[in-house]
Amino acid sequence: MVKIAPSILSLNPLTMLDGIRQAEEGGADLFHVDVIDGVFAPNISFGPSLVRALYKETTVPMDVHMMITNPMRYLETFCGAGAKMISVHLETLDKWSCAHYVRMAKELGFEAGVAIKPYTKIPAWLREFYGDLSYIVPMSVEPGFSGQSFLSDTLGKIQALNDDRRLGKYNFLIEADGGVNSSNVKLLMSRGVDVLVTGSAVFDAPNIKEAIRELKKLAEHQA
Ligand code: DX5
Ligand code: ZN
C-alpha cells in the first residue's frame, strides 16, 4: 500500500493547522516536515518546536527530512519532539557517521532514512547499511523549496535502489520527494516507490482532500 506524505513546507505557517486537518481527512498517511538550516540548502524552515506542537495536534506520524549540515546534533531533540521517522542527507554522512546514525536510531527508537540530492551518486559503502535503514529518499528536486519541477534523472536512481532492494531482499522503503504530482505518480510507482511526498500538488490544489484521494487512487491503480 502506497503512503501519501503531504509536505507542510507548502502551507502558510499562519493557517497551517487548517491544511493539516484537511490532509488528515483526505487520508494523509504521514506528514513530511522539511527542516532546512539555510546552509545545507538555501531556505530556512521549521525547528523542533513545530514538530512538538504538531505532535500534540495530530496522530498522523511525522517524517522529518533534515536538510541541515549537522543532523546528528539534533536527532535526539527531534525524536523527543515526536518525530517517528527522520531522514538525514547522504551528503552530510560518511561510512562512520552513518554507522553512528543507525545506532542512534535504534537507541532513540525512530525509523532511520537517508535522503540523497538529485545528482549525488550513491557510494558503495551505503549498501552496507541497506539492512539497517527504514527508508531511502532519492530526491527529485534540489533541496530547499516546494513547487519545483520534477527531475526525471532521478528515475534511474529509484530503479537502481529498487533492483538492489530486490536482489538483497532488503526491507527499506523508497520515498519520492520533489515535484511529485498526478502526471508522474504512475511512473514513480512502476519504479518501486512506496512513499509519495507531495507539497504543492496537494496544498495548492483547490481541494486538498480530493487531491490526496486522487493521488492515492492513481498510485494504487498502478501498483
Ligand atoms: C524540498 C522538500 C520537499 C518539498 C516538496 O526541499 O524536501 O519535501 O517540500 O514539495 P513539492 O511536492 O511541491 O515539490
Ligand atoms: Zn522533503
Side-chain angles (χ1 to χ4, degrees):
M1 282 283 272
V2 66
K3 286 186 199 304
I4 307 282
S7 167
I8 63 169
L9 189 62
S10 295
L11 287 169
N12 175 343
L14 297 182
T15 54
M16 183 175 274
L17 201 51
D18 179 48
I20 283 174
R21 291 287 174 251
Q22 293 184 54
E24 286 172 329
E25 283 179 41
D29 299 287
L30 301 166
F31 281 117
H32 184 84
V33 182
D34 290 306
V35 174
I36 311 173
D37 66 356
V39 180
F40 180 80
N43 196 0
I44 298 179
S45 63
F46 312 123
S49 61
L50 182 81
V51 172
R52 201 171 297 115
L54 281 181
Y55 186 67
K56 293 194 185 122
E57 287 291 340
T58 182
T59 55
V60 174
M62 271 176 284
D63 160 34
V64 173
H65 178 188
M66 302 276 253
M67 286 167 276
I68 66 176
T69 41
N70 192 349
M72 298 305 152
R73 194 166 163 185
Y74 292 98
L75 293 176
E76 201 168 345
T77 308
F78 277 93
C79 187
K84 177 157 188 298
M85 299 165 67
I86 300 179
S87 66
V88 304
H89 263 270
L90 172 60
E91 296 80 8
T92 67
L93 295 173
D94 58 23
K95 187 173 163 176
W96 293 272
S97 54
C98 193
H100 177 62
Y101 174 54
V102 297
R103 258 198 323 271
M104 294 267 295
K106 275 185 196 130
E107 267 174 46
L108 294 170
F110 66 86
E111 292 176 25
V114 166
I116 311 170
K117 284 167 62 158
Y119 295 106
T120 300
K121 277 199 170 162
I122 297 180
W125 61 258
L126 191 67
R127 294 202 171 86
E128 295 175 31
F129 298 97
Y130 280 177
D132 298 306
L133 293 172
S134 301
Y135 64 118
I136 299 183
V137 191
M139 286 192 72
S140 40
V141 296
E142 289 295 338
F145 298 91
S146 288
Q148 304 179 73
S149 302
F150 179 78
L151 296 167
S152 50
D153 292 351
T154 311
L155 289 168
K157 193 185 279 168
I158 293 173
Q159 181 79 61
L161 283 168
N162 194 25
D163 292 346
D164 283 352
R165 176 170 65 177
R166 199 180 47 243
L167 287 172
K169 298 192 168 60
Y170 298 113
N171 292 317
F172 63 80
L173 299 180
I174 301 177
E175 177 173 303
D177 184 13
V180 174
N181 59 41
S182 54
S183 74
N184 50 35
V185 157
K186 286 183 174 229
L187 194 55
L188 288 166
M189 295 304 293
S190 72
R191 303 290 171 110
V193 166
D194 310 278
V195 182
L196 295 164
V197 174
T198 170
S200 47
V202 299
F203 286 129
D204 292 350
N207 185 326
I208 295 171
K209 281 181 248 180
E210 274 313 306
I212 293 176
R213 287 183 191 138
E214 198 52 39
L215 271 189
K216 205 174 240 186
K217 217 191 295 167
L218 277 174
E220 281 170 357
H221 192 67
Q222 170 63 42

